Amino acid sequence: MTAKAGKLSVVQEDLLKLVQGIPRDQMQQYVDRYLGSLLAEEGYDPELLQTLETYASCNGHINEMSSRLYIHRNTAAYRLEKLERLIGIPLKEPETLMLLNLVFLFRRLLEQRRPRCPTIVS
């Protein structure tokens, strides 16, 4: 099963249970290392981030990714080339795809655990 629009797949839920014992700072290090250039304020591009996450969740199948994102295959290929330059790792390697899926899982977990600012009610 694969993830769909913000939901975790069954496999991702199981992985989440496995990684919950990993310290938050260690998870953040991986997120920063592999997604930092995409999340940086000056270079933040939500389309590229979504493209990378979708590509990883599609296990590197560019046709499936482009279909899910409703973009032309050539646009998808262009974005992937750009992503490879930005993050500095080959995206077609199975190990990379597994690592990226784990990093996106860490990111979701960190976002879920992020303390919320208390609201002031007058």
Side-chain angles (χ1 to χ4, degrees), residues 1 9 23 29 34 36 38 40 43 55 60 89:
M1 288 191 140
S9 69
Q29 286 175 2
Y34 293 102
L38 298 176
Y55 181 71
I89 55 175

Side-chain angles (χ1 to χ4, degrees), residues 11-12 15 34-35 50-62 64-65 80 83-84 87 89-106:
V11 172
Q12 287 174 324
L15 283 171
Y34 293 102
L35 302 180
Q50 182 184 27
T51 298
L52 184 60
E53 185 171 14
T54 304
Y55 181 71
S57 73
C58 291
N59 295 312
H61 298 280
I62 193 168
E64 183 180 347
M65 178 199 74
L80 291 173
L83 282 162
E84 278 190 336
I87 62 176
I89 55 175
L91 296 178
K92 293 180 182 177
E93 301 295 325
E95 302 84 22
T96 301
L97 295 170
M98 184 174 25
L99 177 70
L100 287 171
N101 277 306
L102 189 59
V103 167
F104 279 108
L105 188 61
F106 285 167

Side-chain angles (χ1 to χ4, degrees), residues 24-90:
R24 290 177 50 81
D25 61 330
Q26 194 171 8
M27 286 186 207
Q28 189 64 56
Q29 286 175 2
Y30 277 95
V31 171
D32 292 345
R33 179 175 180 186
Y34 293 102
L35 302 180
S37 59
L38 298 176
L39 296 172
E41 192 172 309
E42 68 276 355
Y44 181 68
D45 185 344
E47 280 186 347
L48 282 180
L49 192 63
Q50 182 184 27
T51 298
L52 184 60
E53 185 171 14
T54 304
Y55 181 71
S57 73
C58 291
N59 295 312
H61 298 280
I62 193 168
N63 289 333
E64 183 180 347
M65 178 199 74
S66 59
S67 175
R68 282 191 195 179
L69 294 175
Y70 303 105
I71 59 175
H72 192 274
R73 188 183 190 288
N74 292 346
T75 302
Y78 169 76
R79 287 184 190 176
L80 291 173
E81 288 175 18
K82 186 174 181 177
L83 282 162
E84 278 190 336
R85 285 192 310 272
L86 284 171
I87 62 176
I89 55 175

